[in-house]
């Protein structure tokens, strides 16, 4: 159970509804997921996060599917259950296949492994990398 | 200073040299970075990690540049200094521009932000994501 | 399900009951939460942790509500589900409103974001900060 | 050494200078720290992060010193060296004494300890906390 | 619910079955746990991880029970629920008692505490340790 | 540079000196490492942490070398540079060889890898583990 109440569309203020409407329109869906419903307890915070997501996840130097897979990679590294489910769904919608997902998790696993081996054995950063 | 000695090519056993040679050949470089030199204190471990890197980072369902950028994303999330330097260098060699790197870090930052907001407010995973 | 059994008050040794009694008296409650019941499998460890909590969370240079909110901030950062629920309850009992909680999570989110951007782009620490 | 170049004020575009000016004015300082100089490689990202910092760290339901100490707590938990130095300096400027800093770190330490004990022994969340 | 399907023995390809058979034989059990069933969506990845586990967790300079307890220590630190349950079960099978488990968690807790105090107060590494 | 001053023995209060003396006597050394010198800015906190270390790291159900290696495992996982150096030195003093250290890091690496694969693919915990 969430630690704050879920703000449903029908109970939302016009300010919150405007963000909900923009989320649904931007994503082409007809429902709002729970992450936004808890954020809506602070309408300014809801707007802040949504505007960040729209700006950062828009097509740019990287394509949106790559960005969504990076999001999944970070979420799995951080043990965020909600984010892993929601961004895996998002990545699949953008075209991630099971084969891509399995391979993504292999890279995430390996990076987490060698990160800790480096943090434990403490080799100095080679001057060539600087 | 590393917590174990660095095994230089000239001092390495034939078993270690074989891995070093394969690293240099596979990557098209003529030097070995410090990560491998500390691993070489245990030749079987050196071979294990290298074989994993070769298998996981090879082209597959994801392209090698995407994989390298995911590696950077995980390394920054985990505060691994060595890995951030070495894999950023690796990603640049594969074609990552400054614009792509900046955008990658924006996604990494945002994912780390919303991961913690979700872990703090604890919305339940929507059934649509399961 | 917990990985060790829960030690209920009625089944507890006098040594464990003495800690349970002190917890209930100090906090003004009439029940013991599960964290202490699992710790009670090692009575010396139960006493150690409780004594640390009493010492560290007591009023001092920082007020108890601020300390409890810092606890929530760390727990959300670490993805500790149990701790997020229990310390959010604790902070609310000490006066944290929903508005304060939402704002706390905004700070936690932002700090997690900029932490990773700094860990990824690796600016040197300015001499002015040292 | 940073992984991207530092954008100095004298070399900055008008768009970047406008953000730098706002940072210096808002904070009452006459220099820009390295975090912003690396972000300035992507002017839109520089503006995004600065606007977030201004909005989230402004006085609200929590006072700015508490927010800055929460930032330090998260940065220490995440092993972000740059952020720990910069936000400790920020908190001191807002009034954090050595006694408050030591006590803050005691809370951060304890929270990190009990987070892992809970994550290891896995007590169920008590219904009273939900 | 897992994010990819579980590959049951009866539905598995000969390549996957060969790994499943080796897992059951090596561990002296007659069932396959879910971790392997999700990995089996990518048979090469299943084989890779299993071969790593077999190599790394085999008796060597450290005894298998110590290794399994280190695995539990890392899993609790990382908030990995699945891994904490599965490796605690593994450690118990190898001889870990409740007293050992409680003591292990005390060490894990303390290390997590002092790690963050050091990361926050930032003492320099003493030359004697280098 | 540390974020608080180092309290040297010659400048320490009797209360701090008593802890320093106990540390040196207990460990059979004639110097105090920097971690304690920063903690000494709050003598009660110095005593608290030292008493915890003495209690938790004493011989018990686990032998002291195993405990020290678990400490190193956690420190590498958390990217704590100071702790990795100091506890590796501590483990070596208690008998950890290079072969044991290399093997320890292999386990730490593998655990960090599979932790994230489990957190990403989200297999349910098997009822047999509960």
């Amino acid at each position: 159970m969430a630690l704050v109440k879920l703000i449903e569309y029908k109970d939302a203020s016009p300010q919150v509804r405007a963000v909900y409407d923009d989320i649904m329109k931007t994503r082409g869906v007809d429902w709002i997921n729970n992450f936004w419903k808890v954020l809506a307890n602070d309408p300014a915070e809801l707007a802040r996060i949504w505007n960040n997501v729209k700006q950062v996840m828009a097509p740019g130097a990287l394509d949106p599917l790559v960005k969504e897979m990076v999001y999944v990679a970070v979420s799995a590294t951080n043990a965020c259950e909600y984010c892993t489910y929601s961004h895996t769904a998002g990545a699949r919608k953008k075209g991630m296949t099971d084969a891509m997902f399995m391979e993504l998790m292999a890279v995430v696993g390996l990076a987490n492994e060698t990160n800790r081996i480096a943090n434990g054995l403490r080799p100095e950063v080679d001057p060539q990398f600087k």
Side-chain angles (χ1 to χ4, degrees), chain A residues 113-125:
Chain A
E113 177 172 48
T114 60
N115 279 192
R116 272 45 179 242
I117 292 174
N119 278 339
L121 299 179
R122 295 266 151 199
E124 286 185 63
V125 179

Side-chain angles (χ1 to χ4, degrees), chain A residues 50-70:
Chain A
W50 170 240
N51 287 334
N52 276 286
V53 168
K54 271 214 298 189
Q55 180 175 339
V56 171
M57 301 303 280
L62 301 176
D63 81 71
L65 172 55
V66 168
K67 290 182 176 189
E68 202 71 44
M69 288 192 298
V70 168

Side-chain angles (χ1 to χ4, degrees), chain A residues 2-54:
Chain A
L3 279 159
V4 289
K5 67 180 177 300
L6 300 182
I7 309 292
E8 301 295 341
Y9 190 91
K10 64 180 172 51
D11 307 316
S13 66
Q15 188 185 359
V16 166
R17 280 192 185 182
V19 177
Y20 283 5
D21 287 337
D22 192 37
I23 292 171
M24 291 190 285
K25 186 181 160 194
T26 303
R27 298 190 159 171
V29 294
D30 61 357
W31 61 288
I32 293 294
N33 57 297
N34 289 339
F35 179 69
W36 305 109
K37 290 181 188 168
V38 291
L39 278 180
N41 283 277
D42 179 344
E45 176 68 0
L46 171 70
R48 183 181 77 85
I49 295 292
W50 170 240
N51 287 334
N52 276 286
V53 168
K54 271 214 298 189

